[in-house]
Amino acid sequence: MLKLTVMVSGGGTNLQAILDKIASGDIRNAKVVKVISNSRKAYALERAAKAGIPSQCITRKDYPNPGQFDQALLKALQESEADLVVLAGCLVVIPQIVVDAFPNRIINIHPALIPSFCGTGYYGLGVHEAVLSRGVKVTGATVHFVDGGTDTGPIILQKAVEVQEGDTPEVLQRRVMEQAEWVILPKAIDLIANGRVEVRDGLAHILPEAK
Ligand code: GRF
């Protein structure tokens, strides 16, 4: 059983998709053991409480210096006994000491098709604003392993979403969440939990289902 610790910052719709897909059996051999938020106001914490999952808030402003925040986050993740850390709508830049402690065991959902519209400054609604400003006709979402960079780790799954005439950033964000994020993040977790993802030469490979 793969133990998941899910890191959140906001509404928690990606967390909810994970919980729903575990309940429906679409995600097999995994369970959420802890939710960690960097914001006390995150509705994701309500979702965790409703699901009876322990949660903790670790926010930078509670620590006098960045190193203490980094250590507190690492300690909380290690104490949660996570096999896999899932960044689900998480806006925290993951400290290198955490990445080093969980090599290829941290995944992130990015609301665009990496390497487009990603990297420093590209998060949340701003991603969709940039997509509309550029006039691309297809966008989507990406699940990737987290390495020391921003949105630079091995790509596990991607799903394309059509940009429609008249889209606002909010409408496009919702479509990307519904049609892509809430589909590929649970799928990636199921693949990892069932031994079907392998990283070789910096690339993530999806292994065929065992016969
Ligand atoms: C979503 O746009 C997600 O792609 C981004 O954060 C936003 C909120 O996600 N990472 P959630 O509802 O908190 O899961």
Side-chain angles (χ1 to χ4, degrees):
M1 181 67 75
L2 196 76
K3 292 192 286 292
L4 310 173
T5 292
V6 182
M7 291 186 63
V8 298
S9 296
T13 62
N14 279 286
L15 167 66
Q16 193 64 54
I18 294 166
L19 296 174
D20 294 347
K21 293 283 176 90
I22 287 174
S24 67
D26 291 297
I27 295 178
R28 298 157 298 165
N29 300 320
K31 67 177 179 178
V32 179
V33 294
K34 183 125 191 198
V35 170
I36 295 176
S37 175
N38 70 315
S39 162
R40 286 186 182 78
K41 299 194 295 292
Y43 186 69
L45 292 169
E46 299 285 321
R47 297 180 191 270
K50 281 199 187 86
I53 296 167
S55 63
Q56 185 176 358
C57 187
I58 302 180
T59 175
R60 281 194 187 284
K61 51 179 172 294
D62 288 346
Y63 296 91
N65 69 62
Q68 288 176 328
F69 168 83
D70 296 355
Q71 291 296 338
L73 179 57
L74 176 60
K75 183 166 178 281
L77 289 170
Q78 289 172 326
E79 286 175 352
S80 74
E81 298 182 347
D83 298 308
L84 184 69
V85 179
V86 181
L87 310 185
C90 175
L91 300 179
V92 171
V93 174
I94 302 304
Q96 190 60 45
I97 58 167
V98 171
V99 174
D100 294 343
F102 291 86
N104 287 329
R105 288 170 53 207
I106 306 172
I107 62 173
N108 180 49
I109 177 81
H110 181 71
L113 295 175
I114 291 173
S116 297
F117 306 104
C118 67
T120 306
Y122 284 102
Y123 56 88
L125 209 53
V127 171
H128 307 291
E129 289 165 351
V131 162
L132 292 171
S133 300
R134 183 62 185 83
V136 297
K137 304 307 174 193
V138 175
T139 186
T142 303
V143 181
H144 63 95
F145 284 110
V146 172
D147 62 8
T150 303
D151 303 328
T152 53
I155 291 172
I156 302 166
L157 292 176
Q158 295 189 298
K159 192 167 189 300
V161 173
E162 186 193 29
V163 180
Q164 294 174 7
E165 277 304 317
D167 271 348
T168 63
E170 292 77 7
V171 166
L172 182 55
Q173 176 178 52
R174 184 77 192 181
R175 188 179 310 122
V176 169
M177 291 165 91
E178 286 173 350
Q179 295 184 9
E181 297 180 41
W182 301 344
V183 174
I184 61 174
L185 185 55
K187 178 69 185 161
I189 291 168
D190 179 66
L191 288 168
I192 293 168
N194 294 282
R196 293 192 49 205
V197 177
E198 198 173 86
V199 178
R200 287 195 307 271
D201 306 326
L203 300 178
H205 299 272
I206 308 299
L207 305 180
E209 188 114 43
K211 290 273 179 280

